[in-house]
Amino acid sequence: LFALRREAPVFVGFAIRDPGWQQRYTLVAKRLEFDVSGDVESDTKNLLLAYHRLLEEAIVAAPTQYFWQHKRWKTRPQTDTIPGR
């Protein structure tokens, strides 16, 4: 909302680990491109959709480096409904 209200550019950054034993990373920053209509709700949606597109691109480019950091699915299936358990 701050960026929308101030018409500030929004950037998304990713740290992609380089191959090898050393801990080296390539930093990638991309400007978030989205349409601004003046309607805050619509603009917020457009900004989030643009963010998710860039996030998806980063995950597809390096899926082994993606880690979801919070419990997205709060409930788990019952164990007796899962084959092999």
Side-chain angles (χ1 to χ4, degrees):
L1 288 173
F2 178 78
L4 290 173
R5 289 181 181 149
R6 299 292 179 212
E7 298 179 10
V10 178
F11 292 86
V12 177
F14 302 99
I16 308 298
R17 185 160 189 230
D18 295 335
W21 290 100
Q22 291 183 337
Q23 294 238 353
R24 292 185 173 217
Y25 295 85
T26 299
L27 301 177
V28 178
K30 294 185 178 185
R31 185 173 179 160
L32 208 57
E33 299 291 343
F34 59 97
D35 295 324
V36 179
S37 66
D39 175 44
V40 174
E41 188 172 327
S42 175
D43 293 345
T44 302
K45 183 179 178 181
N46 288 338
L47 185 148
L48 290 173
L49 287 171
Y51 167 74
H52 282 270
R53 277 193 294 273
L54 284 181
L55 179 60
E56 182 179 12
E57 285 176 19
I59 294 169
V60 168
T64 59
Q65 297 190 32
Y66 176 72
F67 178 72
W68 192 262
Q69 301 210 9
H70 71 83
K71 205 172 189 181
R72 183 168 187 165
W73 292 274
K74 308 251 185 258
T75 59
R76 298 187 54 86
Q78 295 177 354
T79 56
D80 54 332
T81 61
I82 299 174
R85 283 200 175 174

